[in-house]
mmCIF file of all heavy atoms in Angstrom:
data_model
loop_
_atom_site.group_PDB
_atom_site.id
_atom_site.type_symbol
_atom_site.label_atom_id
_atom_site.label_comp_id
_atom_site.label_asym_id
_atom_site.label_seq_id
_atom_site.Cartn_x
_atom_site.Cartn_y
_atom_site.Cartn_z
ATOM 1 N N GLY D 112 69.233 -10.905 222.055
ATOM 2 C CA GLY D 112 69.124 -9.666 221.252
ATOM 3 C C GLY D 112 69.917 -9.876 219.966
ATOM 4 O O GLY D 112 70.558 -10.953 219.724
ATOM 5 N N ALA D 113 69.995 -8.775 219.170
ATOM 6 C CA ALA D 113 70.755 -8.840 217.873
ATOM 7 C C ALA D 113 72.130 -8.291 218.175
ATOM 8 O O ALA D 113 72.224 -7.188 218.551
ATOM 9 C CB ALA D 113 69.940 -8.034 216.869
ATOM 10 N N SER D 114 73.092 -9.097 217.795
ATOM 11 C CA SER D 114 74.475 -8.591 218.005
ATOM 12 C C SER D 114 75.255 -8.715 216.710
ATOM 13 O O SER D 114 74.925 -9.494 215.834
ATOM 14 C CB SER D 114 75.224 -9.450 219.026
ATOM 15 O OG SER D 114 75.342 -10.810 218.643
ATOM 16 N N ALA D 115 76.205 -7.815 216.491
ATOM 17 C CA ALA D 115 77.041 -7.800 215.399
ATOM 18 C C ALA D 115 78.460 -7.611 215.700
ATOM 19 O O ALA D 115 78.791 -6.824 216.683
ATOM 20 C CB ALA D 115 76.595 -6.619 214.378
ATOM 21 N N ILE D 116 79.390 -8.209 214.972
ATOM 22 C CA ILE D 116 80.816 -8.043 215.172
ATOM 23 C C ILE D 116 81.268 -7.361 214.000
ATOM 24 O O ILE D 116 81.024 -7.714 212.785
ATOM 25 C CB ILE D 116 81.499 -9.451 215.257
ATOM 26 C CG1 ILE D 116 80.848 -10.338 216.298
ATOM 27 C CG2 ILE D 116 83.017 -9.221 215.521
ATOM 28 C CD1 ILE D 116 80.863 -9.968 217.647
ATOM 29 N N THR D 117 82.079 -6.321 214.232
ATOM 30 C CA THR D 117 82.570 -5.479 213.017
ATOM 31 C C THR D 117 84.037 -5.387 212.912
ATOM 32 O O THR D 117 84.607 -4.651 212.104
ATOM 33 C CB THR D 117 81.929 -4.033 213.055
ATOM 34 O OG1 THR D 117 82.314 -3.520 214.408
ATOM 35 C CG2 THR D 117 80.473 -4.127 213.043
ATOM 36 N N GLY D 118 84.848 -6.032 213.778
ATOM 37 C CA GLY D 118 86.295 -5.848 213.658
ATOM 38 C C GLY D 118 87.171 -7.071 213.983
ATOM 39 O O GLY D 118 88.271 -6.820 214.527
ATOM 40 N N GLU D 119 86.749 -8.261 213.631
ATOM 41 C CA GLU D 119 87.612 -9.411 213.954
ATOM 42 C C GLU D 119 87.423 -10.430 212.973
ATOM 43 O O GLU D 119 86.276 -10.675 212.512
ATOM 44 C CB GLU D 119 87.317 -9.974 215.342
ATOM 45 C CG GLU D 119 88.428 -11.004 215.718
ATOM 46 C CD GLU D 119 88.140 -11.610 217.108
ATOM 47 O OE1 GLU D 119 87.175 -11.263 217.766
ATOM 48 O OE2 GLU D 119 88.917 -12.612 217.441
ATOM 49 N N GLY D 120 88.445 -11.179 212.542
ATOM 50 C CA GLY D 120 88.450 -12.231 211.695
ATOM 51 C C GLY D 120 87.714 -11.997 210.430
ATOM 52 O O GLY D 120 88.043 -10.965 209.714
ATOM 53 N N PRO D 121 86.735 -12.719 209.984
ATOM 54 C CA PRO D 121 86.070 -12.497 208.757
ATOM 55 C C PRO D 121 85.156 -11.320 208.793
ATOM 56 O O PRO D 121 84.586 -10.845 207.781
ATOM 57 C CB PRO D 121 85.208 -13.800 208.550
ATOM 58 C CG PRO D 121 85.146 -14.416 209.939
ATOM 59 C CD PRO D 121 86.226 -13.921 210.751
ATOM 60 N N PHE D 122 84.906 -10.752 209.962
ATOM 61 C CA PHE D 122 83.948 -9.603 210.152
ATOM 62 C C PHE D 122 84.640 -8.265 210.178
ATOM 63 O O PHE D 122 84.566 -7.591 211.237
ATOM 64 C CB PHE D 122 83.121 -9.886 211.353
ATOM 65 C CG PHE D 122 82.505 -11.223 211.368
ATOM 66 C CD1 PHE D 122 82.627 -12.100 212.467
ATOM 67 C CD2 PHE D 122 81.683 -11.625 210.353
ATOM 68 C CE1 PHE D 122 82.118 -13.350 212.463
ATOM 69 C CE2 PHE D 122 81.052 -12.925 210.416
ATOM 70 C CZ PHE D 122 81.329 -13.741 211.482
ATOM 71 N N LYS D 123 85.342 -7.954 209.109
ATOM 72 C CA LYS D 123 86.116 -6.724 209.142
ATOM 73 C C LYS D 123 85.661 -5.777 208.040
ATOM 74 O O LYS D 123 86.203 -4.716 207.957
ATOM 75 C CB LYS D 123 87.637 -7.040 209.014
ATOM 76 C CG LYS D 123 88.237 -7.540 210.251
ATOM 77 C CD LYS D 123 89.719 -7.718 210.164
ATOM 78 C CE LYS D 123 90.342 -8.116 211.479
ATOM 79 N NZ LYS D 123 91.711 -8.605 211.310
ATOM 80 N N ALA D 124 84.659 -6.143 207.373
ATOM 81 C CA ALA D 124 84.135 -5.379 206.253
ATOM 82 C C ALA D 124 83.533 -4.060 206.836
ATOM 83 O O ALA D 124 83.244 -4.004 208.048
ATOM 84 C CB ALA D 124 83.172 -6.091 205.424
ATOM 85 N N GLU D 125 83.409 -3.061 205.986
ATOM 86 C CA GLU D 125 82.811 -1.772 206.416
ATOM 87 C C GLU D 125 81.320 -1.941 206.774
ATOM 88 O O GLU D 125 80.768 -1.266 207.519
ATOM 89 C CB GLU D 125 83.063 -0.676 205.469
ATOM 90 C CG GLU D 125 84.575 -0.284 205.481
ATOM 91 C CD GLU D 125 84.769 1.028 204.657
ATOM 92 O OE1 GLU D 125 83.810 1.655 204.347
ATOM 93 O OE2 GLU D 125 85.956 1.230 204.321
ATOM 94 N N LYS D 126 80.718 -2.767 205.938
ATOM 95 C CA LYS D 126 79.295 -3.133 206.179
ATOM 96 C C LYS D 126 79.137 -4.224 207.194
ATOM 97 O O LYS D 126 79.919 -5.093 207.289
ATOM 98 C CB LYS D 126 78.660 -3.518 204.868
ATOM 99 C CG LYS D 126 78.395 -2.334 203.883
ATOM 100 C CD LYS D 126 77.641 -2.776 202.695
ATOM 101 C CE LYS D 126 77.454 -1.696 201.696
ATOM 102 N NZ LYS D 126 76.774 -2.234 200.496
ATOM 103 N N ILE D 127 77.985 -4.136 207.942
ATOM 104 C CA ILE D 127 77.678 -5.211 208.877
ATOM 105 C C ILE D 127 77.381 -6.483 208.014
ATOM 106 O O ILE D 127 76.648 -6.419 207.098
ATOM 107 C CB ILE D 127 76.559 -4.828 209.767
ATOM 108 C CG1 ILE D 127 76.960 -3.649 210.689
ATOM 109 C CG2 ILE D 127 76.080 -6.022 210.599
ATOM 110 C CD1 ILE D 127 75.911 -3.160 211.653
ATOM 111 N N ASP D 128 77.952 -7.634 208.455
ATOM 112 C CA ASP D 128 77.808 -8.872 207.834
ATOM 113 C C ASP D 128 76.289 -9.281 207.726
ATOM 114 O O ASP D 128 75.559 -9.073 208.750
ATOM 115 C CB ASP D 128 78.585 -9.984 208.482
ATOM 116 C CG ASP D 128 78.741 -11.223 207.685
ATOM 117 O OD1 ASP D 128 77.734 -12.019 207.703
ATOM 118 O OD2 ASP D 128 79.800 -11.468 207.077
ATOM 119 N N PRO D 129 75.841 -9.860 206.666
ATOM 120 C CA PRO D 129 74.523 -10.225 206.507
ATOM 121 C C PRO D 129 73.904 -11.146 207.581
ATOM 122 O O PRO D 129 72.756 -11.141 207.988
ATOM 123 C CB PRO D 129 74.364 -10.912 205.130
ATOM 124 C CG PRO D 129 75.519 -10.415 204.398
ATOM 125 C CD PRO D 129 76.644 -10.055 205.323
ATOM 126 N N ILE D 130 74.836 -12.047 208.241
ATOM 127 C CA ILE D 130 74.313 -12.934 209.259
ATOM 128 C C ILE D 130 73.828 -12.110 210.524
ATOM 129 O O ILE D 130 73.006 -12.486 211.179
ATOM 130 C CB ILE D 130 75.279 -14.089 209.698
ATOM 131 C CG1 ILE D 130 76.562 -13.438 210.363
ATOM 132 C CG2 ILE D 130 75.720 -14.882 208.550
ATOM 133 C CD1 ILE D 130 77.330 -14.514 211.042
ATOM 134 N N PHE D 131 74.513 -10.956 210.598
ATOM 135 C CA PHE D 131 74.175 -10.074 211.764
ATOM 136 C C PHE D 131 72.815 -9.317 211.489
ATOM 137 O O PHE D 131 71.996 -9.059 212.329
ATOM 138 C CB PHE D 131 75.263 -9.158 212.258
ATOM 139 C CG PHE D 131 76.555 -9.935 212.576
ATOM 140 C CD1 PHE D 131 77.735 -9.704 211.944
ATOM 141 C CD2 PHE D 131 76.417 -10.964 213.520
ATOM 142 C CE1 PHE D 131 78.900 -10.431 212.331
ATOM 143 C CE2 PHE D 131 77.540 -11.657 213.907
ATOM 144 C CZ PHE D 131 78.799 -11.420 213.291
ATOM 145 N N LEU D 132 72.780 -8.763 210.250
ATOM 146 C CA LEU D 132 71.670 -8.011 209.751
ATOM 147 C C LEU D 132 70.341 -8.909 209.904
ATOM 148 O O LEU D 132 69.331 -8.430 210.267
ATOM 149 C CB LEU D 132 71.808 -7.446 208.403
ATOM 150 C CG LEU D 132 72.867 -6.362 208.305
ATOM 151 C CD1 LEU D 132 73.051 -5.918 206.875
ATOM 152 C CD2 LEU D 132 72.518 -5.168 209.144
ATOM 153 N N ALA D 133 70.526 -10.191 209.607
ATOM 154 C CA ALA D 133 69.374 -11.087 209.641
ATOM 155 C C ALA D 133 68.910 -11.254 211.117
ATOM 156 O O ALA D 133 67.709 -11.322 211.406
ATOM 157 C CB ALA D 133 69.772 -12.442 209.128
ATOM 158 N N LYS D 134 69.820 -11.082 212.043
ATOM 159 C CA LYS D 134 69.470 -11.155 213.478
ATOM 160 C C LYS D 134 68.619 -9.879 213.842
ATOM 161 O O LYS D 134 67.626 -10.057 214.597
ATOM 162 C CB LYS D 134 70.727 -11.291 214.335
ATOM 163 C CG LYS D 134 71.512 -12.562 214.281
ATOM 164 C CD LYS D 134 72.634 -12.642 215.208
ATOM 165 C CE LYS D 134 73.474 -13.952 214.936
ATOM 166 N NZ LYS D 134 74.400 -14.184 215.962
ATOM 167 N N GLY D 135 69.079 -8.796 213.301
ATOM 168 C CA GLY D 135 68.358 -7.499 213.562
ATOM 169 C C GLY D 135 66.886 -7.599 212.954
ATOM 170 O O GLY D 135 65.988 -7.233 213.567
ATOM 171 N N LEU D 136 66.807 -8.071 211.732
ATOM 172 C CA LEU D 136 65.539 -8.186 211.095
ATOM 173 C C LEU D 136 64.578 -9.080 211.858
ATOM 174 O O LEU D 136 63.436 -8.752 212.098
ATOM 175 C CB LEU D 136 65.776 -8.789 209.670
ATOM 176 C CG LEU D 136 64.925 -8.300 208.589
ATOM 177 C CD1 LEU D 136 65.530 -7.074 207.842
ATOM 178 C CD2 LEU D 136 64.687 -9.448 207.575
ATOM 179 N N GLY D 137 65.178 -10.196 212.229
ATOM 180 C CA GLY D 137 64.291 -11.167 212.991
ATOM 181 C C GLY D 137 63.841 -10.597 214.407
ATOM 182 O O GLY D 137 62.770 -10.840 214.769
ATOM 183 N N LEU D 138 64.778 -9.825 214.998
ATOM 184 C CA LEU D 138 64.460 -9.269 216.287
ATOM 185 C C LEU D 138 63.248 -8.208 216.156
ATOM 186 O O LEU D 138 62.419 -8.233 216.861
ATOM 187 C CB LEU D 138 65.693 -8.655 216.957
ATOM 188 C CG LEU D 138 65.409 -7.937 218.221
ATOM 189 C CD1 LEU D 138 65.073 -8.975 219.375
ATOM 190 C CD2 LEU D 138 66.652 -7.167 218.743
ATOM 191 N N GLY D 139 63.484 -7.353 215.155
ATOM 192 C CA GLY D 139 62.439 -6.419 214.909
ATOM 193 C C GLY D 139 61.086 -7.023 214.596
ATOM 194 O O GLY D 139 60.078 -6.578 215.196
ATOM 195 N N LYS D 140 61.144 -7.971 213.738
ATOM 196 C CA LYS D 140 59.843 -8.715 213.420
ATOM 197 C C LYS D 140 59.213 -9.367 214.632
ATOM 198 O O LYS D 140 58.052 -9.302 214.851
ATOM 199 C CB LYS D 140 60.174 -9.753 212.313
ATOM 200 C CG LYS D 140 59.012 -10.249 211.632
ATOM 201 C CD LYS D 140 59.323 -11.152 210.470
ATOM 202 C CE LYS D 140 58.131 -11.844 209.902
ATOM 203 N NZ LYS D 140 58.431 -12.845 208.855
ATOM 204 N N ARG D 141 60.007 -10.011 215.398
ATOM 205 C CA ARG D 141 59.432 -10.761 216.531
ATOM 206 C C ARG D 141 58.857 -9.765 217.515
ATOM 207 O O ARG D 141 57.731 -10.082 218.084
ATOM 208 C CB ARG D 141 60.620 -11.666 217.225
ATOM 209 C CG ARG D 141 59.943 -12.465 218.296
ATOM 210 C CD ARG D 141 60.905 -13.375 219.009
ATOM 211 N NE ARG D 141 60.226 -14.187 219.997
ATOM 212 C CZ ARG D 141 60.734 -14.675 221.108
ATOM 213 N NH1 ARG D 141 61.963 -14.397 221.517
ATOM 214 N NH2 ARG D 141 59.967 -15.364 222.035
ATOM 215 N N VAL D 142 59.543 -8.755 217.834
ATOM 216 C CA VAL D 142 59.066 -7.711 218.833
ATOM 217 C C VAL D 142 57.696 -7.115 218.323
ATOM 218 O O VAL D 142 56.741 -7.035 219.015
ATOM 219 C CB VAL D 142 60.109 -6.647 219.042
ATOM 220 C CG1 VAL D 142 59.472 -5.537 219.930
ATOM 221 C CG2 VAL D 142 61.281 -7.311 219.779
ATOM 222 N N ALA D 143 57.674 -6.826 216.956
ATOM 223 C CA ALA D 143 56.413 -6.231 216.403
ATOM 224 C C ALA D 143 55.262 -7.187 216.522
ATOM 225 O O ALA D 143 54.115 -6.798 216.888
ATOM 226 C CB ALA D 143 56.735 -5.733 214.998
ATOM 227 N N GLN D 144 55.577 -8.507 216.154
ATOM 228 C CA GLN D 144 54.490 -9.449 216.254
ATOM 229 C C GLN D 144 53.937 -9.617 217.754
ATOM 230 O O GLN D 144 52.813 -9.730 217.913
ATOM 231 C CB GLN D 144 55.020 -10.833 215.731
ATOM 232 C CG GLN D 144 55.201 -10.820 214.212
ATOM 233 C CD GLN D 144 55.988 -12.101 213.778
ATOM 234 O OE1 GLN D 144 56.766 -12.631 214.497
ATOM 235 N NE2 GLN D 144 55.661 -12.522 212.533
ATOM 236 N N LYS D 145 54.879 -9.552 218.636
ATOM 237 C CA LYS D 145 54.544 -9.749 220.040
ATOM 238 C C LYS D 145 53.662 -8.489 220.468
ATOM 239 O O LYS D 145 52.717 -8.703 221.290
ATOM 240 C CB LYS D 145 55.745 -9.948 220.823
ATOM 241 C CG LYS D 145 55.555 -10.289 222.241
ATOM 242 C CD LYS D 145 54.800 -11.594 222.437
ATOM 243 C CE LYS D 145 55.692 -12.843 221.975
ATOM 244 N NZ LYS D 145 54.952 -14.033 222.161
ATOM 245 N N VAL D 146 53.989 -7.344 219.974
ATOM 246 C CA VAL D 146 53.142 -6.113 220.268
ATOM 247 C C VAL D 146 51.785 -6.315 219.824
ATOM 248 O O VAL D 146 50.814 -6.003 220.576
ATOM 249 C CB VAL D 146 53.854 -4.929 219.682
ATOM 250 C CG1 VAL D 146 52.838 -3.699 219.645
ATOM 251 C CG2 VAL D 146 55.047 -4.516 220.509
ATOM 252 N N LEU D 147 51.591 -6.784 218.637
ATOM 253 C CA LEU D 147 50.333 -7.056 218.104
ATOM 254 C C LEU D 147 49.493 -7.966 218.971
ATOM 255 O O LEU D 147 48.308 -7.780 219.291
ATOM 256 C CB LEU D 147 50.344 -7.674 216.650
ATOM 257 C CG LEU D 147 50.472 -6.716 215.504
ATOM 258 C CD1 LEU D 147 50.290 -7.422 214.220
ATOM 259 C CD2 LEU D 147 49.596 -5.513 215.589
ATOM 260 N N ILE D 148 50.152 -9.114 219.330
ATOM 261 C CA ILE D 148 49.451 -10.044 220.185
ATOM 262 C C ILE D 148 49.056 -9.466 221.576
ATOM 263 O O ILE D 148 47.932 -9.643 222.041
ATOM 264 C CB ILE D 148 50.390 -11.347 220.501
ATOM 265 C CG1 ILE D 148 50.410 -12.054 219.064
ATOM 266 C CG2 ILE D 148 49.835 -12.155 221.570
ATOM 267 C CD1 ILE D 148 51.497 -13.151 219.141
ATOM 268 N N LEU D 149 49.988 -8.743 222.198
ATOM 269 C CA LEU D 149 49.685 -8.050 223.484
ATOM 270 C C LEU D 149 48.597 -7.027 223.263
ATOM 271 O O LEU D 149 47.725 -6.881 224.186
ATOM 272 C CB LEU D 149 50.940 -7.444 224.054
ATOM 273 C CG LEU D 149 51.982 -8.441 224.513
ATOM 274 C CD1 LEU D 149 53.361 -7.643 224.849
ATOM 275 C CD2 LEU D 149 51.578 -9.205 225.709
ATOM 276 N N ASN D 150 48.486 -6.350 222.151
ATOM 277 C CA ASN D 150 47.399 -5.416 221.914
ATOM 278 C C ASN D 150 46.091 -6.060 221.865
ATOM 279 O O ASN D 150 45.091 -5.580 222.383
ATOM 280 C CB ASN D 150 47.664 -4.692 220.535
ATOM 281 C CG ASN D 150 48.460 -3.498 220.806
ATOM 282 O OD1 ASN D 150 48.791 -3.143 221.896
ATOM 283 N ND2 ASN D 150 48.814 -2.824 219.604
ATOM 284 N N GLN D 151 45.994 -7.210 221.198
ATOM 285 C CA GLN D 151 44.737 -7.960 221.108
ATOM 286 C C GLN D 151 44.177 -8.257 222.549
ATOM 287 O O GLN D 151 42.987 -8.158 222.776
ATOM 288 C CB GLN D 151 44.959 -9.242 220.461
ATOM 289 C CG GLN D 151 45.021 -9.077 218.902
ATOM 290 C CD GLN D 151 45.338 -10.416 218.230
ATOM 291 O OE1 GLN D 151 46.134 -11.216 218.715
ATOM 292 N NE2 GLN D 151 44.660 -10.698 217.104
#
Side-chain angles (χ1 to χ4, degrees):
Chain D
S114 63
I116 310 293
T117 57
E119 189 183 357
F122 308 123
K123 285 184 171 163
E125 286 189 19
K126 286 187 182 178
I127 293 181
D128 193 279
I130 66 167
F131 301 125
L132 292 176
K134 295 183 184 189
L136 213 90
L138 179 65
K140 192 174 174 186
R141 186 179 183 209
V142 171
Q144 288 171 329
K145 191 59 68 182
V146 163
L147 275 193
I148 290 169
L149 291 170
N150 269 357
Q151 286 178 315

